[in-house]
Amino acid sequence: MQLTLLAFFAVKQWLDRRDMYAQAKEESRTHETALLASDDQFVRQSALRSLAALPPLSGLNGDGLRFVALPSFGMNNYALAVFLPRNAQQAVGVLIVTSIGVKGAATHRREFRMPASAYRTLVADVDRRTDGWPGDADMCLDGIPAGFERVRGSRVTSGIGNCSPHYKALKAVILRAMRRFAPVEDLPAGDDWMRMEPTHKAAGG
């Protein structure tokens, strides 16, 4: 009987872990729709609230990108939208930085422009990385959650993830573009979307 119980619990644990990994893969894969709500109140609902502050997908002229990065620890949350108006020489963008401090949140909104060629290079890279991506099941929770929505005509794709190599690379591509075309002082200086409170040496240190 003991052996039977041990076998039962071992199988149940294996099945539970398999279901957890399958769910993680499903939630982090690229979906052929806008980002949808779920029971995840911390990451996905926070991402949807940040996306709601941006121009809507319907306002991106059928060719645009929306993106959010939500560091669990750090000074700022980030949300951006960029799109290419028809026959325009420049893409139009907005970057929203929400500073988290002891006195509450303060939102800073900045518009930016980028050449149409640079925009096309950026979104082509995003599309190459994300189209058809099957998701990851590594259950990593130690990174910086990020989500995206990409509109191309009537097609909308989206995804949300954390610290897998896939999302790390995607976040880095978009961060490099923002450093180049929206170089505001409160963008992070590191490799990811984490900006910590600056430290100062003590006098004489």
Side-chain angles (χ1 to χ4, degrees), residues 69-86:
L70 308 166
S72 300
F73 304 98
M75 297 172 61
N76 303 312
N77 290 338
Y78 301 91
L80 68 94
V82 60
F83 72 98
L84 186 64
R86 188 178 302 276

Side-chain angles (χ1 to χ4, degrees), residues 34-93:
L35 200 62
L36 301 175
S38 75
D39 293 334
D40 179 0
Q41 296 295 318
F42 296 102
V43 175
R44 189 172 291 259
Q45 295 299 337
S46 294
L48 289 170
R49 285 193 296 271
S50 294
L51 287 170
L54 296 168
L57 287 172
S58 60
L60 301 188
N61 197 47
D63 188 354
L65 171 70
R66 302 204 306 172
F67 171 84
V68 295
L70 308 166
S72 300
F73 304 98
M75 297 172 61
N76 303 312
N77 290 338
Y78 301 91
L80 68 94
V82 60
F83 72 98
L84 186 64
R86 188 178 302 276
N87 300 321
Q89 298 299 310
Q90 289 187 315
V92 178

Side-chain angles (χ1 to χ4, degrees), residues 11-148:
V11 171
K12 183 178 186 302
Q13 185 179 43
W14 178 82
L15 290 173
D16 289 345
R17 289 180 63 85
R18 186 191 64 176
D19 290 345
M20 285 173 53
Y21 287 131
Q23 182 178 357
K25 189 171 183 179
E26 171 63 22
E27 290 183 353
S28 64
R29 73 176 177 87
T30 296
H31 292 259
E32 293 285 330
T33 182
L35 200 62
L36 301 175
S38 75
D39 293 334
D40 179 0
Q41 296 295 318
F42 296 102
V43 175
R44 189 172 291 259
Q45 295 299 337
S46 294
L48 289 170
R49 285 193 296 271
S50 294
L51 287 170
L54 296 168
L57 287 172
S58 60
L60 301 188
N61 197 47
D63 188 354
L65 171 70
R66 302 204 306 172
F67 171 84
V68 295
L70 308 166
S72 300
F73 304 98
M75 297 172 61
N76 303 312
N77 290 338
Y78 301 91
L80 68 94
V82 60
F83 72 98
L84 186 64
R86 188 178 302 276
N87 300 321
Q89 298 299 310
Q90 289 187 315
V92 178
V94 59
L95 172 65
I96 298 176
V97 181
T98 303
S99 302
I100 310 300
V102 294
K103 296 182 179 180
T107 299
H108 309 277
R109 181 185 178 97
R110 297 173 177 87
E111 295 183 357
F112 64 91
R113 300 289 186 272
M114 59 192 304
S117 59
Y119 167 82
R120 293 190 183 101
T121 297
L122 170 64
V123 295
D125 197 351
V126 170
D127 295 343
R128 178 180 61 82
R129 294 175 184 277
T130 60
D131 279 358
W133 192 67
D136 66 79
D138 60 9
M139 302 295 290
C140 179
L141 300 174
D142 293 331
I144 294 175
F148 77 92

Side-chain angles (χ1 to χ4, degrees), residues 138-160:
D138 60 9
M139 302 295 290
C140 179
L141 300 174
D142 293 331
I144 294 175
F148 77 92
E149 292 179 325
R150 171 80 170 107
V151 57
R152 285 164 281 181
S154 61
R155 183 185 181 192
V156 177
T157 56
S158 67
I160 189 166

